[in-house]
Amino acid sequence: AMAIIFAMQLSAQTTIVAGDSTSTNLSEYVPIYHCYEDSYMQMLYKAEELQAGGIQSISFYCTNGGFSNGTVKIYLHEVTNTSLSTIIPSTDYTEVYSGPMTNAPGWVTFNLSEVYAYTGGNLLVTVIRDGSDYDCGSVHYKTSPTSYTSVQGVYDDDVSYTVGSMPVGWNIYDFTSRPVMKMEMVELEGFCYRPSNLTVSEIDQSS
């Protein structure tokens, strides 16, 4: 006889942090750039950093803030890319947040409009800011270095960026320092999770 006991991949609610939360690296460019009115930033998070499940909210760690202008849209999409050589425009992205932002020290949280069903691939996070004012150097977010190009983005004034077309503006190339991201996750009903922490007991040779 053989008994196998395993724990599911995700409990009722789990917090996932992608990146080094103790990092002292800072950036004013990502995830949202405020030195121009508008910005379009894409950030790649690999599957091994994450955990399949339903994403309820996304947070980025702000070290100093106060300037908050315009609206933000956030899109999620699972991709096969392991590095970003350019911005990836697509109409297949899922818009998960559209609304205001409040930059203040600590985790800046965006509660998603509905739970996003993340199935465990590499996750592309696109953040678009549509503003009417700018303030250089007043907002910084905690970032964590990666061994691959994990950020691509553009920024400019008086533009209206959309995910379905290649954006234009001042380009940012080859960013290998990416925002530390926290996600609040819930278990997806009907989703088959990979087992973890397997325990095998009571094994014998009987057939």
Side-chain angles (χ1 to χ4, degrees):
M2 179 174 68
I4 301 178
I5 303 172
F6 62 88
M8 287 296 185
Q9 180 76 3
L10 197 67
S11 59
Q13 187 163 5
T14 303
T15 299
I16 302 295
V17 177
D20 180 7
S21 60
T22 65
S23 171
T24 58
N25 296 338
L26 304 177
S27 175
E28 65 173 329
Y29 290 97
V30 287
I32 305 165
Y33 191 38
H34 295 86
C35 199
Y36 281 74
E37 293 176 354
D38 310 294
S39 65
Y40 182 124
M41 300 294 168
Q42 285 191 331
M43 299 153 290
L44 181 65
Y45 296 84
K46 291 191 176 180
E48 55 264 30
E49 305 175 84
L50 308 174
Q51 203 168 8
I55 304 174
Q56 280 190 318
S57 68
I58 291 175
S59 304
F60 302 102
Y61 196 89
C62 184
T63 58
N64 64 310
F67 178 78
S68 300
N69 171 265
T71 58
V72 167
K73 289 187 177 182
I74 300 176
Y75 301 84
L76 299 180
H77 189 55
E78 291 185 57
V79 296
T80 58
N81 303 68
T82 57
S83 182
L84 295 178
S85 59
T86 183
I87 286 176
I88 307 172
S90 175
T91 56
D92 294 332
Y93 297 158
T94 301
E95 181 182 302
V96 294
Y97 179 85
S98 178
M101 63 185 140
T102 302
N103 294 309
W107 288 106
V108 176
T109 298
F110 299 93
N111 293 309
L112 307 192
S113 54
E114 59 182 34
V115 173
Y116 178 81
Y118 169 61
T119 60
N122 295 336
L123 185 65
L124 188 67
V125 180
T126 302
V127 181
I128 296 177
R129 173 181 176 246
D130 184 9
S132 59
D133 199 1
Y134 62 89
D135 189 352
C136 296
S138 65
V139 179
H140 291 84
Y141 280 83
K142 181 176 289 191
T143 61
S144 182
T146 58
S147 60
Y148 56 95
T149 302
S150 52
V151 174
Q152 290 285 344
V154 296
Y155 49 89
D156 212 333
D157 291 329
D158 301 318
V159 295
S160 182
Y161 291 126
T162 62
V163 294
S165 59
M166 180 64 74
V168 296
W170 295 95
N171 283 272
I172 303 174
Y173 295 108
D174 298 330
F175 265 42
T176 57
S177 191
R178 185 198 56 192
V180 177
M181 182 178 68
K182 181 173 73 171
M183 300 189 302
E184 296 298 333
M185 312 281 295
V186 294
E187 186 175 334
L188 287 174
E189 184 177 353
F191 183 79
C192 184
Y193 292 95
R194 291 177 298 174
S196 60
N197 299 322
L198 290 172
T199 300
V200 181
S201 61
E202 299 181 19
I203 299 176
D204 59 33
Q205 296 180 349
S206 60
S207 57

